[in-house]
Amino acid sequence: MKEKKRAFITGITGQDGSYLAEYLIKKGYDVWGLMRRTSLDPLMRIHTMADDRSLKLRYGNLRDTSSLQRALEEAKPDEVYNLAALSDVGISFKCPEETMEVNYYGVSRLILEAVKVNKKVRIYQASTSEMFGTTKPPQNERSIFAPVSPYAEAKLMAYRDFVKGYREQYGYFIASGILFNHESPRRGEHFVTRKITVSLAKIKLGLQKSFSLGNLDARRDWGYASNYVTAMHAMLQQKKPDDFVVATGISHSVRDFVEEACKELDIPLTWKGKSLKEVGVTKGNKTIVTIDKEFYRPAEVRALCGDATKARTELGWKPKVTFEELVRMMTRADLEHYKKSL
Ligand code: G4F
């Protein structure tokens, strides 16, 4: 009987980790997931798989070499997916050292421990469209990187030093996905899309009066996370390690997202005022959206829109969910969830 392939996923409890684990288990892999101890329920997104014998969860941390060593020695992976990171761009301005420790040094620790266990291991590193920073869209693999946050700086340094660097210096198989924003009902609530769908669902049900946002005019290329993890896997099945942009090629503003979610929930919305005084108003002149300086970043990536031609042609990957479908999926999931609490 053919032996099952073994995958090791860091960040398994996050949005992408949970979708990727499901995808790989369906493909017949044995999956080892590395998770950090947190005070919140770490199994929130993976509880349906928690009893699956193909999934083994181990405590560990990209900041702790011995934990990586132990888990990797047990897993002996054919493929490693590094999805663990301090992923909140806004918070990275407040915790730059921690960001560098995890998103830069952590990547090197993981790679060096993984190749000790299996020299031929194939490694996926989660790079990010934030690395393009101020470079104008559309952005692809040949665009200039111009990061503006500690998060993007650390990711770019990891990309240069450990993805390209180790690939060229030591011939390791390390691929990287330059993923544009990807969302789902499993997205953390501090990211703007989920913050909007949770808040509007609660407003619709009378559980909340209003919520605050930062820059309404920032533009992002938003796709569906479950669709994006398939590209990660495809990258590790190529003959050679390479870098790929994964994106829909269509960008929308935060304002567009709010409007689309209101449309989906049948909440009439009009914008009034300007800049920090701008508000979103509904029936009866009730303010449901306000602007708070707190949610502006010290430096902002104004517009991201990816050109995923290379992923389409070389990986056969394509975006499968439109912006409207994504907003609908997220608003409906939150509405259903909060209806249960009534
Ligand atoms: O949802 P966001 O926090 O995502 P951001 O910063 O684009 O980063 C996400 O996507 C990256 C891929 O490109 C990942 F690498 C990264 O780890 C993360 O997953 O913010 C999106 C936009 C920003 O321009 C932000 O300034 O929304 C703007 N925004 C406006 N009001 C807000 C808010 N963002 C947040 N989080 N909260 C607000 O209230």
Side-chain angles (χ1 to χ4, degrees):
M1 204 172 74
K2 216 173 135 200
E3 259 199 45
K4 283 172 98 179
K5 270 198 172 180
R6 301 157 81 98
F8 184 84
I9 305 175
T10 70
I12 189 139
T13 56
Q15 169 188 259
D16 293 5
S18 66
Y19 281 123
L20 181 64
E22 283 169 9
Y23 182 67
L24 294 180
I25 287 173
K26 273 204 196 112
K27 281 200 161 296
Y29 280 69
D30 272 332
V31 173
W32 273 259
L34 192 76
M35 57 184 214
R36 261 182 323 133
R37 209 208 75 79
T38 60
S39 50
L40 296 170
D41 173 13
L43 303 184
M44 200 170 69
R45 295 184 178 92
I46 53 172
H47 61 88
T48 53
M49 283 181 286
D51 294 329
D52 195 315
R53 288 175 55 186
S54 306
L55 178 66
K56 291 140 186 95
L57 298 172
R58 298 293 177 263
Y59 279 107
N61 195 316
L62 286 188
R63 287 189 282 190
D64 185 330
T65 310
S66 68
S67 72
L68 296 175
Q69 218 170 39
R70 200 173 316 118
L72 284 161
E73 264 166 17
E74 188 192 343
K76 296 196 177 39
D78 303 297
E79 297 172 10
V80 169
Y81 296 86
N82 183 31
L83 310 184
L86 190 145
S87 62
D88 187 313
V89 178
I91 303 263
S92 79
F93 287 97
K94 295 180 175 141
C95 307
E97 286 179 25
E98 186 188 355
T99 303
M100 191 58 82
E101 193 51 52
V102 177
N103 296 5
Y104 177 69
Y105 292 110
V107 180
S108 175
R109 280 183 203 112
L110 176 69
I111 295 173
L112 295 179
E113 291 310 315
V115 295
K116 270 188 209 161
V117 169
N118 173 9
K119 241 204 240 151
K120 295 219 167 113
V121 66
R122 293 179 167 221
I123 302 175
Y124 171 85
Q125 162 64 4
S127 291
T128 165
S129 56
E130 282 292 302
M131 301 191 314
F132 294 118
T134 52
T135 294
K136 292 221 167 78
Q139 296 99 351
N140 65 27
E141 297 81 2
R142 295 175 304 284
S143 302
I144 289 168
F145 294 122
V148 297
S149 65
Y151 168 80
E153 283 286 358
K155 282 280 185 182
L156 179 57
M157 284 171 62
Y159 170 71
R160 287 192 172 135
D161 293 350
F162 309 136
V163 174
K164 282 184 92 80
Y166 289 173
R167 196 155 75 192
E168 283 159 18
Q169 290 153 30
Y170 309 120
Y172 296 158
F173 192 114
I174 311 175
S176 101
I178 307 175
L179 269 55
F180 283 61
N181 298 50
H182 42 289
E183 319 292 311
S184 74
R186 297 185 193 174
R187 187 60 147 148
E189 292 181 24
H190 48 284
F191 294 102
V192 78
T193 55
R194 188 78 199 293
K195 178 173 173 182
I196 294 168
T197 59
V198 165
S199 307
L200 288 174
K202 285 181 165 175
I203 288 170
K204 177 76 187 177
L205 297 170
L207 298 168
Q208 186 175 322
K209 289 208 164 73
S210 64
F211 67 109
S212 302
L213 290 170
N215 184 357
L216 289 176
D217 297 313
R219 300 186 72 84
R220 290 291 183 272
D221 177 334
W222 281 297
Y224 178 37
S226 167
N227 175 207
Y228 281 34
V229 300
T230 65
M232 301 176 184
H233 176 254
M235 284 177 218
L236 296 196
Q237 314 314 309
Q238 300 305 296
K239 280 209 177 96
K240 286 189 187 151
D242 207 344
D243 312 309
F244 294 90
V245 158
V246 179
T248 70
I250 299 172
S251 99
H252 291 273
S253 64
V254 172
R255 185 188 300 278
D256 294 339
F257 199 104
V258 176
E259 289 173 3
E260 189 61 34
C262 280
K263 205 164 101 192
E264 186 55 42
L265 290 165
D266 218 2
I267 301 176
L269 178 81
T270 345
W271 298 105
K272 288 186 180 166
K274 276 203 171 142
S275 161
L276 289 176
K277 297 225 169 91
E278 183 163 11
V279 286
V281 174
T282 191
K283 271 188 299 202
N285 211 23
K286 273 192 227 144
T287 296
I288 54 169
V289 188
T290 57
I291 305 300
D292 187 335
K293 248 187 5 206
E294 170 70 18
F295 299 115
Y296 270 80
R297 294 174 183 172
E300 174 69 287
V301 171
R302 285 171 197 272
L304 290 173
C305 186
D307 161 16
T309 309
K310 185 174 167 188
R312 277 178 193 266
T313 52
E314 295 184 23
L315 304 177
W317 178 88
K318 58 174 194 280
K320 288 198 175 144
V321 170
T322 64
F323 173 74
E324 291 75 17
E325 287 165 346
L326 178 66
V327 179
R328 187 173 315 134
M329 179 196 311
M330 293 176 69
T331 46
R332 285 196 183 166
D334 283 323
L335 192 66
E336 287 317 309
H337 174 76
Y338 286 103
K339 262 186 193 164
K340 287 185 202 139
S341 68
L342 288 177

